[in-house]
Amino acid sequence: MLEAAIHGMLLALGLILPLGVQNIFIFNQGAGHRKFRSSLPAILTASICDTLLILLAVLGVSLFLFQFIWLKNLLFIAGACFLIYMGYAIWKSKPKTDGGHTLTPCKQVGFAMSVSLLNPHAIMDTVGVIGTSSLIYSGTEKQLFTLACIAVSWVWFFCLAIAGRMLGKADKSGKLLVLLNKASALVMWAMAIVMVKQLL
């Protein structure tokens, strides 16, 4: 049983570590707010969305849905459009480490849901890797595997926001955060281009 939990942890960590839209967003929220608790709406929303995706993948629901090509294509189109918009918004933003320019809790929830649920690559990874890997387990082992994957997501997003907050405190001028936002926008636009190419 311990093997299933370790497998789940390592698998989830491997999927969540690469630089992606979701990670960038959570890190920026941690860096941009004056108080850590102000970034909790984004952290909790991203964690809950990941939990939902993992559960759907393990239960096989998402795998069934992705058998419909039109649904997959629609998701990629929506994801590409959203990444272009997010990239533009982040490129134009001028973060302030004193909390002067931050998202409201409602906007945090909306953006976090979007970067979590409109990210085809994250969904495909969850379905293709976590969902498929869970098939080798059953009963208690499958439950431990699933819980380990979920736990990694929650811990990772909290740690990411804390790391962002530490950078925000260290970067009093906000210049480093501006550069980070520019780099983040470029990553988002690059991912959008990749999605469009996959549709063509």
Side-chain angles (χ1 to χ4, degrees):
M1 286 194 292
L2 184 61
E3 184 182 332
I6 293 172
H7 181 203
M9 287 175 63
L10 293 175
L11 196 63
L13 193 60
L15 290 175
I16 207 168
L17 272 176
L19 181 68
V21 184
Q22 196 180 36
N23 285 345
I24 290 169
F25 177 71
I26 298 300
F27 186 87
N28 282 352
Q29 290 309 298
H33 286 88
R34 183 166 38 198
K35 296 180 180 177
F36 177 76
R37 66 171 179 266
S38 298
S39 60
L40 283 176
I43 300 167
L44 295 175
T45 303
S47 300
I48 291 169
C49 287
D50 261 28
T51 300
L52 177 64
L53 290 176
I54 291 168
L55 289 174
L56 289 175
V58 171
L59 294 172
V61 176
S62 51
L63 190 61
F64 170 74
L65 292 175
F66 270 90
Q67 290 177 350
F68 300 100
I69 302 298
W70 65 268
L71 182 61
K72 182 180 173 182
N73 289 342
L74 182 64
L75 183 64
F76 269 73
I77 292 168
C81 291
F82 182 74
L83 285 176
I84 292 168
Y85 167 73
M86 276 289 290
Y88 176 77
I90 288 178
W91 183 276
K92 288 290 185 182
S93 68
K94 294 179 180 178
K96 296 179 182 177
T97 54
D98 62 357
H101 181 77
T102 54
L103 293 177
T104 63
C106 286
K107 284 186 177 180
Q108 282 188 59
V109 170
F111 274 106
M113 285 180 68
S114 299
V115 297
S116 301
L117 302 177
L118 286 179
N119 186 347
H121 288 294
I123 294 173
M124 295 301 284
D125 282 346
T126 306
V127 175
V129 181
I130 292 178
T132 304
S133 298
S134 70
L135 296 175
I136 64 174
Y137 300 112
S138 61
T140 306
E141 285 188 338
K142 192 166 192 170
Q143 291 172 4
L144 287 172
F145 172 84
T146 306
L147 287 173
C149 290
I150 291 170
V152 167
S153 285
W154 282 77
V155 172
W156 174 255
F157 289 134
F158 272 92
C159 289
L160 203 57
I162 290 169
R165 187 69 209 105
M166 289 170 67
L167 176 66
K169 283 184 176 180
D171 181 30
K172 299 297 183 183
S173 66
K175 290 180 181 178
L176 191 57
L177 287 177
V178 170
L179 289 175
L180 178 66
N181 277 358
K182 302 290 186 190
S184 301
L186 291 174
V187 169
M188 290 180 188
W189 288 334
M191 291 179 69
I193 291 169
V194 170
M195 285 185 198
V196 172
K197 281 186 174 181
Q198 288 178 341
L199 287 171
L200 299 176

